[in-house]
């Protein structure tokens, strides 16, 4: 495994200062006097133990004739370099976390690019989830730091890693759908008879029609490829005040499509914005009362006794 392979070495501007003083034939003590800075401060800069501030850059310009903006630029480049080195060290320490995700399946589905270097793959996961670290992923998907988005934590699921991958793909796809109308419960209820009719007449071949119908009332409908290691067939949640129904490709191509879709619509109509409803995962402690209400909602509109 290559370590720090993506970070080009950048040197502290103190090295440039040391070289310039040597060129000028000037000692540290004299330079300190000429810039009105403590000698120990200049020594710390030369050793790379202290940064060049904006004020120092202007003072250094007067003596070295190197523009202040150059000193500032060198310091910023070095500061960024240090941060990126630390980021790669962090990624190195989080390889084990990365290996818990269904990486091969994600690559096969085109959700992330294949990386031979494991550190690059960790960074690819950061990019995929839109997080800066393993800790950020845990806070978002496990520790319920965003209670508005995730009242049901993935902590008690059998595979929170794969589930989070599938949910994240829904977020990504949902962000690519533009809505001309804000969500209207009144319009959604009014369209239920037409939605049911399309489901009844066309079965699972009517996905595009139903997408357009739901989009017109402010609801996003997604069909996301299934992940082999998890049994979730659907998820309903609110993303940026927009209700999103996410169905697995397996359920989209099954006879249970219509009932599942109406079940998820039931969650939108009957239940609040603060919960995420995950369907058919035996490891998740579902709200049985709300699941039964959604079932009855679907049965009512499909006229199932």
């Amino acid at each position: 495994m290559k370590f720090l392979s993506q970070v080009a070495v950048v040197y502290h501007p103190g090295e440039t200062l040391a070289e310039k003083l040597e060129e000028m034939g000037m000692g540290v003590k004299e330079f300190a006097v000429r810039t009105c800075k403590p000698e120990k401060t200049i020594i710390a800069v030369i050793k790379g133990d202290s940064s060049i501030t904006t004020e120092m850059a202007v003072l250094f310009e007067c003596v070295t004739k190197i523009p202040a903006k150059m000193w500032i630029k060198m310091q910023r480049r070095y500061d960024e370099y240090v941060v990126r080195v630390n980021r790669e060290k962090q990624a190195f320490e989080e390889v084990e976390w990365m290996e818990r995700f269904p990486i091969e399946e994600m690559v096969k589905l085109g959700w992330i690019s294949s990386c031979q270097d494991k550190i690059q793959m960790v960074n690819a996961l950061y990019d995929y989830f839109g997080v800066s670290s393993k800790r950020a992923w845990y806070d978002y998907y496990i520790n319920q730091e965003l209670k508005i988005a995730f009242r049901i934590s993935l902590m008690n699921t059998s595979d929170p890693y794969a589930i989070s991958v599938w949910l994240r793909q829904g977020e990504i796809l949902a962000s690519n759908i533009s809505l001309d109308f804000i969500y209207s419960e009144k319009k959604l209820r009014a369209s239920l008879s037409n939605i049911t009719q399309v489901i009844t007449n066309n079965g699972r071949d009517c996905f595009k029609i139903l997408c357009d119908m739901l989009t017109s009332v402010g609801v996003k409908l997604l069909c996301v490829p299934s992940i082999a290691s998890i049994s979730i067939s659907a998820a309903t949640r609110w993303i940026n005040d927009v209700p999103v129904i996410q169905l697995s490709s397996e359920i989209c191509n099954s006879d249970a499509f219509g009932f599942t879709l109406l079940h998820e619509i039931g969650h939108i109509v009957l239940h609040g914005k603060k919960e995420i409803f995950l369907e058919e995962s035996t490891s998740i402690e579902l709200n049985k009362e709300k699941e039964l209400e959604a079932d009855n909602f679907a049965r009512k509109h499909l006229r199932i006794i």
Side-chain angles (χ1 to χ4, degrees):
M1 181 188 302
K2 296 179 181 179
F3 188 49
L4 304 182
S5 59
Q6 301 302 306
V7 181
V9 176
V10 176
Y11 296 100
H12 191 282
E15 294 200 22
T16 301
L17 177 59
E19 292 172 358
K20 186 63 178 178
L21 291 181
E22 183 178 356
E23 176 188 317
M24 296 168 64
M26 185 182 296
V28 171
K29 186 175 184 64
E30 180 183 349
F31 184 73
V33 171
R34 288 178 179 276
T35 56
C36 292
K37 301 302 293 184
E39 185 177 349
K40 64 179 182 180
T41 299
I42 302 301
I43 292 173
V45 168
I46 290 175
K47 288 183 176 180
D49 296 332
S50 183
S51 299
I52 296 177
T53 64
T54 302
E55 177 206 12
M56 291 165 65
V58 173
L59 298 177
F60 287 8
E61 177 184 76
C62 296
V63 181
T64 65
K65 308 308 177 185
I66 295 176
K69 64 182 180 181
M70 293 301 297
W71 290 114
I72 294 169
K73 182 179 180 179
M74 284 188 284
Q75 186 64 58
R76 286 180 176 173
R77 284 187 63 214
Y78 179 77
D79 291 343
E80 180 183 352
Y81 165 75
V82 171
V83 171
R84 292 194 180 279
V85 167
N86 290 332
R87 287 281 295 165
E88 286 220 19
K89 289 179 180 178
Q90 171 188 295
F92 178 79
E93 294 169 355
E94 296 183 354
V95 167
E96 182 181 355
W97 167 75
M98 174 272 293
E99 291 175 338
R100 298 180 182 182
F101 291 89
I103 298 297
E104 290 185 9
E105 201 164 356
M106 294 173 71
V107 171
K108 184 178 179 181
L109 290 168
W111 295 352
I112 58 174
S113 298
S114 179
C115 303
Q116 294 182 346
D117 188 291
K118 290 186 177 182
I119 293 178
Q120 291 178 11
M121 187 59 76
V122 173
N123 286 316
L125 269 186
Y126 293 158
D127 290 341
Y128 179 78
F129 285 109
V131 298
S132 61
S133 64
K134 175 180 74 174
R135 177 181 174 181
W137 177 87
Y138 270 102
D139 284 344
Y140 191 84
Y141 289 99
I142 305 297
N143 296 332
Q144 300 177 290
E145 291 296 323
L146 282 180
K147 292 182 174 62
I148 291 178
F150 287 98
R151 181 171 290 178
I152 297 178
S153 169
L154 301 183
M155 182 182 296
N156 298 320
T157 64
S158 60
D159 193 344
Y161 305 96
I163 292 172
S164 67
V165 165
W166 190 73
L167 290 174
R168 175 58 178 165
Q169 187 60 204
E171 294 174 13
I172 294 170
L173 294 177
S175 69
N176 294 326
I177 299 175
S178 299
L179 293 177
D180 294 328
F181 307 95
I182 61 173
Y183 169 68
S184 168
E185 180 181 332
K186 181 178 180 180
K187 290 181 179 179
L188 177 57
R189 286 183 177 275
S191 67
L192 283 171
S193 59
N194 291 333
I195 290 173
T196 303
Q197 184 176 4
V198 170
I199 290 173
T200 303
N201 293 340
N202 299 300
R204 57 179 180 269
D205 298 325
C206 56
F207 190 83
K208 178 62 170 63
I209 299 172
L210 291 168
C211 279
D212 293 340
M213 293 177 71
L214 288 169
T215 298
S216 69
V217 297
V219 178
K220 296 182 180 182
L221 174 61
L222 312 169
C223 183
V224 179
S226 306
I227 293 181
S229 61
I230 60 175
S231 60
I232 291 181
S233 60
T236 293
R237 63 203 190 277
W238 291 68
I239 302 176
N240 297 327
D241 288 327
V242 175
V244 177
I245 298 173
Q246 179 175 340
L247 305 179
S248 70
S249 55
E250 183 177 355
I251 206 69
C252 288
N253 294 310
S254 75
D255 292 335
F257 166 72
F259 183 87
T260 302
L261 175 57
L262 285 169
H263 176 100
E264 301 309 312
I265 292 175
H267 282 311
I268 295 172
V269 171
L270 302 174
H271 307 131
K273 297 182 179 181
K274 294 184 179 181
E275 293 186 69
I276 175 171
F277 294 94
L278 306 176
E279 312 298 345
E280 295 186 12
S281 178
T282 57
S283 58
I284 297 176
E285 295 181 3
L286 298 171
N287 186 317
K288 294 182 179 180
E289 181 180 349
K290 290 182 178 180
E291 291 303 315
L292 180 59
E293 290 173 354
D295 275 347
N296 290 336
F297 180 91
R299 290 192 181 96
K300 172 185 175 182
H301 289 280
L302 285 175
R303 293 179 174 79
I304 299 175
I305 300 176

